[in-house]
Amino acid sequence: MRNCLNLTMLASCCVLTFTACNQHIYVPNTVNEPLLKEKHEFKGSVSPSNFQTAFALTDHIGVMANGQYVYDFLDSGNDDGGSDVIVDSDTRGGVIEGAIGYFTPLDSKKRMVFDVYAGYGRGSFKTLSDDYTSSTNRVINDYLLRTYFNKYFIQPGIGLSHPVIEAAFTSRLSLVKFNNLYAGAKAFETDSSRRANYMSIGNKVQPFYEPAFTFRVGYKYVKFQMQLMFSVPLNDSKYGGYDIDDYFQPVALNMGVSVNIAHWYDDWKKK
């Protein structure tokens, strides 16, 4: 238990470290790992920035719908230049996505489940460049960074599913094509090469390897959910030596509540 607590605290510190001073135009959404077992099973989850649903159409085919909305972007609404506003240059935005996949229990008691889903999403993010914090005449649009993107993903996963506890490992590969990148007139004003570097993000499809560890604890229909995930760009050589963590959030820790409606709970005691 102490080791688990230490791991959680370490992951939380990593999240704070990675996200405190960067301008992320891509924040990975929570990986939806439903661990479905049977026809007509439903699973959903909600956290402060993500919601997820999954439904089994048959004993082996499932569909899912996911949504994300990150709301940490500065909007002072202050007419005095923002001099007395606490500046928060984190990201605002999100993604909507859907997927279809295959799942199958790996043992007669359906304790272990393998699944694989493939899907598509569309989203956008915006944030502020670092120059905003040192400016005396703060006009948000002058320092705004914004991008839209299309996302294709495939995610094989395997996990333990029990009425009390669930644990899963999922490997998501996401192909993200950024488009309509925008940088305000004063964003990267003193570093033209950095500005060009930012605008080049949309030149190619960016693949991300996004492994996730998902844990759920509760009883039957309602469980506490925690997920630790990483997002690793796979072709970062084109970013000209700049730290790509400035643009892509590399780690995320999400916590929320999971709901599961299924008949297999009723059959568990019989077995």
Side-chain angles (χ1 to χ4, degrees), residues 142-172:
D142 287 345
Y143 300 91
L144 185 68
L145 304 178
R146 182 181 64 234
T147 185
Y148 297 87
F149 62 90
N150 296 292
K151 172 184 174 183
Y152 300 88
F153 65 92
I154 185 168
Q155 57 174 68
I158 188 169
L160 166 70
S161 181
H162 184 274
V164 176
I165 188 170
E166 297 179 23
F169 173 73
T170 313
S171 293
R172 184 171 70 187

Side-chain angles (χ1 to χ4, degrees), residues 23 25 125-127 144-147 180-184 187-188 192-203 239 242 247:
Q23 304 89 49
I25 49 84
F125 288 104
K126 59 183 177 179
T127 186
L144 185 68
L145 304 178
R146 182 181 64 234
T147 185
N180 296 328
L181 276 83
Y182 170 85
F188 310 125
S192 59
S193 63
R194 180 100 183 242
R195 182 183 182 90
N197 172 253
Y198 166 77
M199 298 302 292
S200 71
I201 292 175
N203 291 348
Y239 291 101
Y242 289 100
Y247 303 131

Side-chain angles (χ1 to χ4, degrees), residues 5-121:
L5 179 61
N6 291 339
L7 178 60
T8 301
M9 293 177 64
L10 176 61
S12 300
C13 291
C14 290
V15 172
L16 294 175
T17 300
F18 281 124
T19 60
C21 303
N22 297 324
Q23 304 89 49
H24 295 135
I25 49 84
Y26 177 70
V27 177
N29 62 320
T30 299
V31 174
N32 188 353
E33 180 50 88
L35 297 178
L36 299 174
K37 298 185 180 185
E38 63 185 16
K39 184 178 180 179
H40 294 161
E41 180 176 1
F42 170 84
K43 182 165 285 184
S45 67
V46 61
S47 70
S49 60
N50 287 266
F51 70 86
Q52 303 173 324
T53 61
F55 182 75
L57 299 175
T58 72
D59 282 329
H60 294 287
I61 302 298
V63 294
M64 64 171 61
N66 310 317
Q68 174 200 39
Y69 189 60
V70 181
Y71 190 81
D72 289 324
F73 176 76
L74 176 68
D75 187 4
S76 65
N78 201 338
D79 296 329
D80 62 1
S83 59
D84 57 354
V85 175
I86 298 175
V87 176
D88 180 357
S89 60
D90 286 344
T91 301
R92 175 181 292 182
V95 64
I96 296 292
E97 60 188 27
I100 187 169
Y102 171 84
F103 66 89
T104 184
L106 298 179
D107 64 291
S108 60
K109 292 188 176 181
K110 299 183 178 181
R111 291 168 295 190
M112 295 294 297
V113 178
F114 168 81
D115 56 27
V116 57
Y117 290 86
Y120 166 80

